[in-house]
Amino acid sequence: MEDFISELKELLSTHFHDSEIELDALGAGRVGGLIAWNGFSGIEQIERQRQLWKFLREKLNREQQLKLSAILTLTPDEMAAARAG
């Protein structure tokens, strides 16, 4: 699973330049996490998810896609606020 997580982080970082990506194995062979990226600023959450999943569907095969759980899409400011509590 660690190999898949590393590959996924690399894939996401090449498309979402200068993003912060946190992915973890969740058990049952699934991966979830978050991506914080300036490019999400001013974009509604549903559109952020559409952008992310469109990219993932283009780059991952069906088996790989089924390994994915929720991946939150945040701006860096939203990430900082979440960390601040």
Side-chain angles (χ1 to χ4, degrees):
M1 186 58 64
E2 291 302 315
D3 288 342
F4 178 64
I5 290 173
S6 293
E7 291 171 16
L8 185 56
K9 282 182 179 179
E10 181 66 28
L11 184 67
L12 289 169
S13 68
T14 60
H15 184 73
F16 298 98
H17 301 287
D18 298 322
S19 60
E20 181 178 345
I21 300 165
E22 295 180 11
L23 299 173
D24 294 300
L26 302 176
R30 310 262 316 207
V31 172
L34 60 86
I35 179 170
W37 182 52
N38 277 326
F40 291 139
S41 296
I43 299 174
E44 291 187 30
Q45 187 60 237
I46 191 72
E47 183 56 34
R48 296 175 191 182
Q49 288 291 314
R50 283 185 184 129
Q51 287 180 21
L52 172 65
W53 284 95
K54 180 180 185 287
F55 174 73
L56 292 172
R57 280 188 211 97
E58 290 171 357
K59 299 297 181 181
L60 301 177
N61 64 39
R62 183 75 175 145
E63 181 181 327
Q64 292 169 318
Q65 291 174 37
L66 291 173
K67 292 180 183 179
L68 300 177
S69 186
I71 300 177
L72 302 176
T73 49
L74 306 169
T75 67
D77 289 342
E78 292 167 341
M79 178 70 140
R83 285 186 172 148

